[in-house]
Each structure stands twice: as C-alpha cells, then as structure tokens.
Amino acid sequence: MSIIEGLCKRRGFIYRSSEIYGGLNGFFDYGPLGVELKNNIKQAWWNDFVHGRDDIVGLDASIIMHPNVWRASGHVAGFSDPMVDCKESKLRFRADQIYFAEVKIDGHTIGYVSVLEDEGMQAEAEKKAHELKRKKGAQGELEPVALKNYMEAKPGEYDLIPSPATGNTGTLTPPRDFNLMFQTYVGAMRDETAVAYLRPETAQGIFVDFKNICDTSRVKVPFGIAQIGKAFRNEITPRNFIFRSREFEQMEIEYFISPEADWKKLHREWIDACKKWFVSIGLPECELAEDVHPKEKLAHYAKACTDITFHFPHGLQELQGIAVRGDFDLTQHQNASNKNLEYFDENLKRKYLPHVIEPSLGVDRTFLAVMTAAYTEDEVPNDKGQPEKRVVLKFSPRIAPLKAAVFPLVKNKPEIFEKAKSIYERLRRRWNVFFDASGAIGRRYRRQDEIGTPFGITVDFQTLEDGTVTLRDRDTTQQVRMSVEELIWHLTDKIDGKI
C-alpha cells in the first residue's frame, strides 16, 4: 500500500487533505491526475448503467436532508460501530477489527495476544505467542493459536487482552456503540430543533424521491434510480489509505421490482453485470471473487447480500455490495411521513410497495482497485539498448487520466514543433491529451508510463516527408507508423471502443 500511496502523492493523484497543517485523518484531496481518473470512473459507470440501459434513471439528491429521514431509516438510533479505547495510548479502535487469542501450553493459559485485522494477522499472532512464551520462560509446546474477535471476549477477559497499541494488558475498555453520523445545524439556532446530519449514504435520497420520480417520469417496475454523490461517516479508525475514509463518494442504484418477481434471478443478473463492468475498466477477472453473506449475518430486512471482493494491497476485501433489501426502506418512509408511496402496477391492476435490489459501490474504493490492478514494474530497453526498470500504470484507455501524449522529437526545429502542436490541438478537441517537448524522448516516454498514458505520439523528421507519425503502445512499448487520419481512427477504437 505504501508504494501506491507514494506514487499517488508523487504524481499528483491524491494528497492528504490540509497537508500543510499536518493533515486530517480520513480525508483526502484528489490532484490533477486523480480527479481525471476519478471522473472517468464515474462517467464509465454512468454511461453503462444509466445511459446504456432503458430501465435506469438518474438523481442527484441533497447531502443534508430532513433529520426525520435518518430517524425513519434507523440511522439515528442504530448506525453505529463498536468502539474500544486504549486508556494508555488514547487510541481508539473498532472492536470488530481487534482479534485476540489465549496462549496455551499443555492446556494451561499463560497469557493473551492481540492483533489488528489484517491478511497476515494469524502469522503475527503466532509470532507474538512465541515471544510471550519466551518472556514467561514457559516450557512445553504451544497449542495452535485460535484467533477470536474482540466482540466475542467475555467481560472477565477485557483486562487480560493486551492493547494492539502498547502490548500492555488492562488498558482496553469494553466495546461501546459509537454513532457514525456527522451532526450539524441548519439555520441560526444551535439547539435540538436545528440538528441535521451529513448523509452517511446516498440511498435514502433515492427512497424519499421515489414517489416524485414515479409521478414525473415514464418509469415502470422493474426500474432503477442511480445516484453518484458524497457521503460522510465518522469512522473510528479510518485506514488503508482511501479504502476506508470519513468523506467518500458512492455510486448506487436502487432497482425496484415487484414483490412477486424472481429476486434470486435478478440478484444474480446484477452480480454478473457488476463483475463484467469491473473487467471493462481494467480489473482482472481473476482478482474478483464473491462473498455471500450467511443468513445469520444479514440485516433483519435483507433477503440476501453478496459482496464482490478484490485483492487489495491489504488483502481480499469488499469492493461492492449487492443486497436484496425487500420493501423495508419504502415502508419505513411511508409510515414515518404519512405519505402513500405505493406504486400502481398497470399489468397487475393493483398497488404495492416495490422491493429493492441495491448494487452499492464506492468511487474511492474503485479508484484504489484500479490503481492496484494497474501498478506494474518491469524492464524495458533504454536509449542505449540496456534494460532499465520502469514503473508503469496499465490503466484501461477507457479510464486513463490522459489518453495520449504528443512529442515533437526535437523542439529546435520549428516545422516539427508546429506539426506536433497542430496534431495535439486536433486530438484535444476529443480527448484529454498532453504535449511534452522537454527532455530526451525516452525520458518523456517514462514520465507518461508512470502516470498511465496509453499512447505516445512522436512527430519526427519523417513526418515532414510523408505525414506519418510514430504511435507507441504503453504496455508493449511497440511502435508503428501511421498517418494522422489512421491515428484518429485507431485512438477512437481503443479509447471509445467504437469507430
């Protein structure tokens, strides 16, 4: 993760928010290249799932809504994570991210070890168990280290489990609920009547506008409402770069279906469609997996939920959740608002509250997955023909921040420089491209490789003779000559997927 985070800072993808003041944990700024990549991801999603379908419409709901929205949805009362304090270090942890184990020798407990949730936590726990055995001077063979979640600890064990921060016992508190919503005030007053919340998810805006959209748009069940927007959660321990942050962006669809619909079939179709989309933006299919939630871990209103997971630098983690939510949300808002939200089905000749399938995806998490999949280190010949290590981001041309870079071979030859400039101006009318006349041509290639630009276009002396340019492929480094018209056709095919 540190390699990707360093590259993001160095090349202007992502910065720590308010960095000159020491930063603010859980908040990030997207730099010049980052905002382009992020916007391209969002546009690809919107093109495929909204513009590319006849049964999805869009919405942009407000970030701050009536506080009763969040009371009806259950967020005010129940949107919380279990929190644990370390009284010595003053650090806070999510209780469900702490794991502990008894260290036993021949059936006798000699102490406890604790680790934070991580792909390598089992190995870390075993290492700590051996260290504890050595410190205690205990004889015999260690029994297997069986990790358990801190939420499973008995009250008598809280003082025996060492803090992940200090390694000392007796410093962790029992778990307690911590509400994740950011609270604010609307208007000049600062009392309970003015309390409002920054939305912790975008979904509720869709549910409260369901009736408006049905009344003003020619939509018929089954249909979906899509939204891209910011959400805010006061995470106890934001970590793993942009994977879990306090301000983030979501891409969500609420797909409304009849109560009698075959929800299992539709759920499967949505899972497959979402996985196919991930592949279309450059995530390898072999890095994607599915995590089906067991019934005992489902929300009380959910019929099913499947996560699409991805191999992030910190392990196999959730990338997108696709849930079957029933009619819980519309029922809650209908009851709390005293407004009829039922849909009249012309085919069935009756009213009902539709059920919902919800594909929910984080933009920032998708950004991190794309960066992870794209990051590559390899060797290519330098200007002298010797192998040289390079860092390359193998973005899909569809979402790459820059689609191409134009290079005049030399900048002291006005005819070459002006020809390169004219090609650049022509390309920039269609795509986001870059012009670079500074430095050796090999160095210019490397700079573009490191930021993921798929194509390099070099204008040289032969261009003045026959009008052809050299097109270099980022991934293979192969170069071919073609006319400018052929270049336009080639880029259109590779970037836009159409001629």
Side-chain angles (χ1 to χ4, degrees), residues 211-480:
K211 186 68 172 174
N212 283 334
I213 289 175
C214 286
D215 290 344
T216 58
S217 304
R218 298 177 64 184
V219 291
K220 293 183 179 181
V221 170
F223 78 96
I225 302 172
Q227 180 169 209
I228 300 176
K230 287 287 185 79
F232 307 83
R233 295 180 186 177
N234 195 12
E235 295 283 353
I236 299 167
T237 52
R239 58 182 186 152
N240 294 320
F241 195 27
I242 58 173
F243 181 83
R244 188 181 302 279
S245 54
R246 289 175 167 137
E247 176 184 341
F248 55 96
E249 202 161 5
Q250 289 183 303
M251 302 187 290
E252 285 194 316
I253 295 171
E254 304 300 330
Y255 193 73
F256 299 95
I257 62 175
S258 163
E260 286 80 30
D262 185 351
W263 63 264
K264 291 183 179 180
K265 177 175 176 290
L266 292 168
H267 189 221
R268 183 69 252 173
E269 288 175 357
W270 272 108
I271 294 169
D272 292 340
C274 292
K275 290 177 74 174
K276 182 179 179 182
W277 182 77
F278 285 128
V279 173
S280 79
I281 63 167
L283 300 191
E285 190 171 3
C286 62
E287 297 293 327
L288 300 170
E290 295 178 22
D291 179 20
V292 180
H293 292 212
K295 287 186 177 181
E296 63 271 15
K297 291 191 176 182
L298 290 172
H300 65 89
Y301 52 79
K303 293 182 178 180
C305 184
T306 296
D307 292 339
I308 297 174
T309 57
F310 177 78
H311 285 274
F312 289 95
H314 58 291
L316 186 64
Q317 299 285 338
E318 177 191 348
L319 176 58
Q320 177 174 23
I322 300 133
V324 184
R325 297 176 66 100
D327 62 359
F328 172 79
D329 299 278
L330 289 179
T331 299
Q332 290 295 104
H333 290 301
Q334 179 171 267
N335 293 341
S337 66
N338 292 318
K339 298 294 193 298
N340 186 354
L341 302 182
E342 289 182 315
Y343 168 83
F344 179 74
D345 193 315
E346 295 179 0
N347 294 326
L348 299 177
K349 304 301 181 186
R350 67 179 182 87
K351 292 183 177 181
Y352 55 77
L353 286 176
H355 288 212
V356 168
I357 296 175
E358 180 191 71
S360 178
L361 172 63
V363 179
D364 310 83
R365 201 167 284 195
T366 305
F367 186 109
L368 182 58
V370 165
M371 289 292 298
T372 302
Y375 184 87
T376 307
E377 294 181 6
D378 61 13
E379 286 189 347
V380 295
N382 61 17
D383 293 337
K384 298 178 180 179
Q386 299 172 337
E388 182 179 77
K389 179 182 174 182
R390 71 164 179 165
V391 172
V392 55
L393 292 177
K394 295 186 176 182
F395 293 133
S396 163
R398 186 183 187 198
I399 61 168
L402 297 169
K403 308 304 184 186
V406 179
F407 311 116
L409 183 63
V410 294
K411 61 180 179 181
N412 58 358
K413 184 81 171 175
E415 300 95 322
I416 290 178
F417 189 90
E418 291 304 320
K419 181 63 175 178
K421 201 72 174 177
S422 69
I423 293 173
Y424 163 72
E425 293 294 342
R426 183 174 177 183
L427 294 180
R428 75 186 300 201
R429 291 198 293 265
R430 302 184 63 171
W431 302 292
N432 189 27
V433 295
F434 190 76
F435 186 84
D436 188 1
S438 176
I441 191 68
R443 186 170 298 175
R444 283 183 269 173
Y445 287 154
R446 298 295 181 273
R447 287 198 292 256
Q448 295 303 315
D449 290 343
E450 194 176 30
I451 61 176
T453 307
F455 305 106
I457 301 155
T458 304
V459 177
D460 53 21
F461 292 96
Q462 187 174 336
T463 307
L464 303 180
E465 298 174 8
D466 59 15
T468 64
V469 297
T470 299
L471 178 68
R472 175 185 181 269
D473 182 271
R474 173 200 63 203
D475 298 345
T476 66
T477 72
Q478 291 182 351
Q479 301 183 28
V480 294

Side-chain angles (χ1 to χ4, degrees), residues 60-66 70 199 205 209 227:
D60 184 7
S62 63
I63 287 173
I64 295 178
M65 297 188 288
H66 197 290
W70 307 111
R199 66 184 180 193
D209 271 330
Q227 180 169 209

